Amino acid sequence: MIREYAVDPDAYTRNLDVLQRFFTDFRAEQGRVVSAIPRNWIKEQQKNIQKMGLKSIEKRRCFDKLKEISLVSGITVPTDIQEWIEQARYAKKNSDIQAIITSATDENNNEYDYANMLFTQPENWEISQTKSVDRNAHSLAEAISASLSLAEVAMFIDPYFHPSDDRYRLPFIAFLNRLSSGRCPCRRALVYTAIHEGKTRADLQRGLTEHVQPLLPAGFEVELSIWPSNQMHDRFVLTKQVGYSFGHGLDEAAYQGAIEVNIHRLAETARQAEYRKFSNTAIRQGDPIVIVGT
């Protein structure tokens, strides 16, 4: 539900129309994120925009827009590779970059001219906002695996989460495995849940210690916070780049005829709102429960 692209600064700063299209095309809410190539990506973009002859206020708006573009780092390109296209080719060979967006087309090597993309687009350019998957651990985690592999930290929001119950724990561990083996890799996950159906803080503590901690990679930290039940309704997985809502839950349902889960990629405003909401420690009930893999 999200794909990463290497995008040549020269390809989209040739004129204002193309630049505006770039700001629309490459956003996490559109399912397309930009790999941080070349080195010092933001500075390189600003340099190119400076040359476009824009007014001061227009330049400032462009610089602000750049900050909204979801950048993905974690690729180390050898310092002796100086040309942008060679840096991009190296990165694509050694990572999961979907395509290279540049000023020339070479479809055999997944390189596309941004000015001509109305007629020639990379494979799978259109990315659906919603996806329905089977309600099992593998399908749930696989649907957002690219996002998890690029995350530095992840939030899991589920008012019904219970670490002692297989149907919640198995998907959670599947998510964590993709986080911990990603490019960064991520070393921390935050869980937000509420007290429901007789579940107690002691139950959550015991479930995390006995059922989750033994499965964690060494050094991986899980922090669980308890929230008031009336402040939690929907289920989300959020990272700093992208967010998803899970329409029918983050848990497994193994019985025959179980309804599929609708996973919806959030608009950036919605992701930010949820991220800020659950970053507010004042609403938390008591101190968080923290476990670390050994």
Side-chain angles (χ1 to χ4, degrees):
M1 297 185 70
I2 196 168
R3 300 194 182 98
E4 179 185 2
Y5 297 84
V7 186
D8 188 345
D10 291 337
Y12 61 84
T13 54
R14 61 187 72 183
N15 61 59
L16 190 56
D17 288 341
V18 179
L19 181 63
Q20 289 174 329
R21 178 156 62 95
F22 168 74
F23 288 140
T24 300
D25 281 347
F26 292 96
R27 303 169 67 91
E29 63 187 279
Q30 299 292 344
R32 306 185 193 102
V33 296
V34 177
S35 182
I37 305 165
R39 308 172 189 92
N40 302 317
W41 191 88
I42 291 288
K43 289 183 179 178
E44 290 296 324
Q45 318 315 301
Q46 291 177 341
K47 257 196 294 186
N48 277 31
I49 290 170
Q50 290 276 14
K51 299 174 185 176
M52 294 179 65
L54 303 177
K55 296 177 182 178
S56 295
I57 190 169
E58 292 172 334
K59 282 191 291 188
R60 175 50 50 197
R61 286 177 179 170
C62 287
F63 292 169
D64 289 342
K65 286 288 186 184
L66 285 176
K67 296 176 184 177
E68 299 174 10
I69 299 296
S70 298
L71 277 184
V72 179
S73 58
I75 301 174
T76 302
V77 178
T79 56
D80 61 332
I81 302 178
Q82 296 298 317
E83 278 192 76
W84 183 89
I85 189 64
E86 294 303 328
Q87 290 181 31
R89 288 167 178 165
Y90 177 92
K92 186 175 184 305
K93 181 180 179 181
N94 292 278
S95 66
D96 294 325
I97 289 176
Q98 179 78 11
I100 295 172
I101 310 301
T102 182
S103 299
T105 297
D106 182 350
E107 291 190 51
N108 291 331
N109 290 314
N110 287 320
E111 297 175 12
Y112 297 88
D113 180 2
Y114 196 43
N116 198 40
M117 291 219 351
L118 178 63
F119 306 102
T120 306
Q121 293 180 342
E123 186 179 3
N124 300 322
W125 178 249
E126 299 299 330
I127 304 170
S128 175
Q129 195 92 16
T130 301
K131 184 175 185 178
S132 296
V133 303
D134 292 336
R135 195 167 170 177
N136 60 63
H138 174 78
S139 297
L140 292 171
E142 190 62 24
I144 62 169
S145 60
S147 301
L148 294 173
S149 70
L150 299 173
E152 298 174 14
V153 65
M155 293 180 171
F156 296 88
I157 295 111
D158 184 351
Y160 302 101
F161 176 77
H162 201 314
S164 298
D165 189 332
D166 277 352
R167 70 187 183 116
Y168 293 99
R169 182 177 64 255
L170 293 178
F172 183 57
I173 294 301
F175 290 133
L176 296 193
N177 286 339
R178 285 160 174 78
L179 280 171
S180 63
S181 61
R183 186 186 301 165
C184 290
C186 176
R187 307 301 295 166
R188 189 165 184 251
L190 306 173
V191 181
Y192 302 84
T193 192
I195 300 300
H196 278 289
E197 300 173 358
K199 179 174 63 175
T200 66
R201 180 184 177 88
D203 292 334
L204 292 170
Q205 175 83 62
R206 184 168 52 254
L208 287 173
T209 303
E210 296 180 3
H211 298 287
V212 174
Q213 190 170 22
L215 302 176
L216 294 180
F220 194 98
E221 179 181 289
V222 173
E223 178 183 297
L224 183 145
S225 296
I226 299 173
W227 270 48
S229 59
N230 63 356
Q231 294 285 329
M232 300 187 73
H233 306 287
D234 299 320
R235 290 86 157 181
F236 300 101
V237 176
L238 309 174
T239 76
K240 291 182 179 180
Q241 297 157 329
V242 65
Y244 298 96
S245 66
F246 285 69
H248 299 101
L250 282 165
D251 57 316
E252 284 195 330
Y255 58 87
Q256 187 174 6
I259 192 169
E260 290 187 331
V261 176
N262 290 328
I263 304 175
H264 182 77
R265 189 175 61 250
L266 299 175
E268 178 56 14
T269 51
R271 187 206 67 84
Q272 286 182 350
E274 297 299 334
Y275 202 94
R276 282 195 298 265
K277 173 182 174 179
F278 288 100
S279 296
N280 182 4
T281 58
I283 301 177
R284 189 172 61 198
Q285 296 184 321
D287 292 332
I289 302 169
V290 180
I291 57 170
V292 180
T294 57

